[in-house]
Amino acid sequence: GMQSHLQALLSLYKLYCPEQVTITLPGKMKTYFKNSDGPWKAALTAVRQRNQGPSPLAQAVFLGTSRPQSRKRKWNAQLVIPASSSNTKNLEEVEGKNRVCLYNTNKSLPVEQLQTFPQLLQNIHRLEFPSRMGSVLTNPLLLHYLDCVKDESIHLRLYYWMGQMLQEECIWCVVDNPNEEEFRSFLETIYKAECFLQEGFPACEEFLYKTLPLWDGVCCRSEILRLVSWIPPTNFSDIKSYLYDPLAKLFFTSSLYFKCSLLESLKELLQNWLNCNVIQVDSEFSS
């Protein structure tokens, strides 16, 4: 049967090799294989290194997981659509034909061939998504696809990829991570995609709930508060524990500018909730 620990292990495999795990896994599941002392160890290590300098024995910890070896990557490399290796031959054939052939063929269409919105409408049920799911965030046509077609496998791949990227690059949870500008740019890209879709990403919501207790209220402030405004509606106990309580501590100990920025973010959060509720009511009324 689908035991919870087995699901957690399969989710890790699906993160790196999604094509090898063909079964459907739940979008949200309990976190396993973690050390409950992770956030405290990360905070203590950061303070120790600031006061004493870097130690060869210090181990960077993010919520109970060790930081992987640095890959020296750039965000734009992750957010560019790569050519689909499985369709290289098909691409060469398509390039020599007119646009009508794109509409009539029954073969899958790599997303890098999409240029216009009419093309998307004609081929929406036979698209082959890229290996880098991050490229979806910067492509309006693919965001339209996410908004119109409820393909669970695509949403799960984006969920796993985004969660892993946020976990590895969060600069206040991973010690000795100097790439603040890259991380800030990444958060801004996520925010723009959420504004386009008019809804927040589950992976981003979980990231905020996990890291807000460790956030100093200064690093990437505008980006974090913008993402807060797109947290989807949920029950009050979760909102109070994971959102209001950590933000309240920062509110009472921060500057007037931060207080105003936080109130503005919460006002936008309320507006988004109201808009979401209006859409649901209209949908139920129409049905």
Side-chain angles (χ1 to χ4, degrees):
M2 290 302 294
Q3 301 178 16
S4 54
H5 285 82
L6 178 59
Q7 286 184 343
L9 185 60
L10 286 173
S11 69
L12 295 179
Y13 280 91
K14 197 161 187 174
L15 171 64
Y16 295 102
C17 298
E19 70 281 358
Q20 300 297 327
V21 182
T22 58
I23 64 174
T24 300
L25 297 174
K28 293 184 179 181
M29 63 181 68
K30 185 177 179 181
T31 303
Y32 289 92
F33 317 123
K34 72 173 185 178
N35 182 354
S36 60
D37 294 332
W40 285 107
K41 289 183 179 179
L44 290 173
T45 303
V47 172
R48 185 182 302 113
Q49 291 199 356
R50 279 201 305 267
N51 296 339
Q52 301 179 359
S55 170
L57 300 178
Q59 182 183 30
V61 178
F62 176 87
L63 300 179
T65 60
S66 300
R67 170 164 174 76
Q69 186 176 1
S70 175
R71 296 191 290 272
K72 294 183 179 179
R73 61 170 177 266
K74 294 293 183 181
W75 288 119
N76 55 3
Q78 293 287 333
L79 304 180
V80 174
I81 298 179
S84 300
S85 57
S86 61
N87 272 326
T88 303
K89 183 178 179 181
N90 188 36
L91 289 178
E92 296 174 353
E93 296 175 355
V94 168
E95 287 177 355
K97 300 179 181 180
N98 57 32
R99 189 172 298 176
V100 178
C101 293
L102 287 175
Y103 300 149
N104 295 332
T105 180
N106 293 323
K107 296 181 180 180
S108 61
L109 178 70
V111 294
E112 60 266 23
Q113 290 294 299
L114 287 179
Q115 301 294 331
T116 63
F117 189 75
Q119 260 190 321
L120 173 66
L121 296 180
Q122 293 287 342
N123 300 278
I124 196 168
H125 295 299
R126 60 186 192 87
L127 291 181
E128 179 186 358
F129 265 64
S131 57
R132 294 194 195 122
M133 285 305 298
S135 59
V136 175
L137 298 178
T138 56
N139 189 299
L141 294 177
L142 300 187
L143 290 176
H144 275 301
Y145 179 91
L146 287 180
D147 199 27
C148 297
V149 180
K150 303 305 178 183
D151 189 334
E152 185 178 6
S153 62
I154 298 297
H155 286 273
L156 282 176
R157 285 182 59 194
L158 184 61
Y159 167 79
Y160 293 136
W161 176 86
M162 186 181 297
Q164 186 70 15
M165 288 293 106
L166 289 170
Q167 173 177 303
E168 290 183 3
E169 302 300 328
C170 180
I171 58 178
W172 57 86
C173 293
V174 177
V175 182
D176 287 341
N177 186 354
N179 302 319
E180 179 176 351
E181 289 303 318
E182 291 186 4
F183 185 61
R184 186 189 301 272
S185 175
F186 184 49
L187 296 181
E188 182 68 21
T189 299
I190 295 177
Y191 170 72
K192 291 179 180 179
E194 290 182 335
C195 291
F196 186 94
L197 297 173
Q198 290 294 291
E199 62 178 347
F201 293 107
C204 186
E205 176 190 4
E206 293 183 9
F207 164 75
L208 291 173
Y209 285 164
K210 288 181 179 180
T211 59
L212 282 178
L214 304 175
W215 185 45
D216 60 3
V218 177
C219 184
C220 303
R221 176 168 51 201
S222 60
E223 289 76 18
I224 291 297
L225 292 181
R226 288 174 182 172
L227 294 178
V228 166
S229 67
W230 280 112
I231 291 179
T234 184
N235 61 73
F236 177 76
S237 60
D238 288 344
I239 287 292
K240 183 179 185 303
S241 301
Y242 299 119
L243 181 66
Y244 292 158
D245 288 349
L247 291 178
K249 296 177 181 178
L250 292 172
F251 182 86
F252 292 115
T253 58
S254 299
S255 64
L256 179 62
Y257 178 80
F258 178 85
K259 290 180 172 65
C260 295
S261 300
L262 178 56
L263 291 176
E264 177 68 18
S265 177
L266 294 179
K267 185 196 75 171
E268 294 177 358
L269 175 64
L270 179 59
Q271 289 176 340
N272 291 332
W273 285 357
L274 292 174
N275 291 334
C276 180
N277 185 65
V278 169
I279 293 174
Q280 292 178 353
V281 171
D282 289 345
S283 176
E284 293 173 357
F285 180 77
S286 299
S287 61

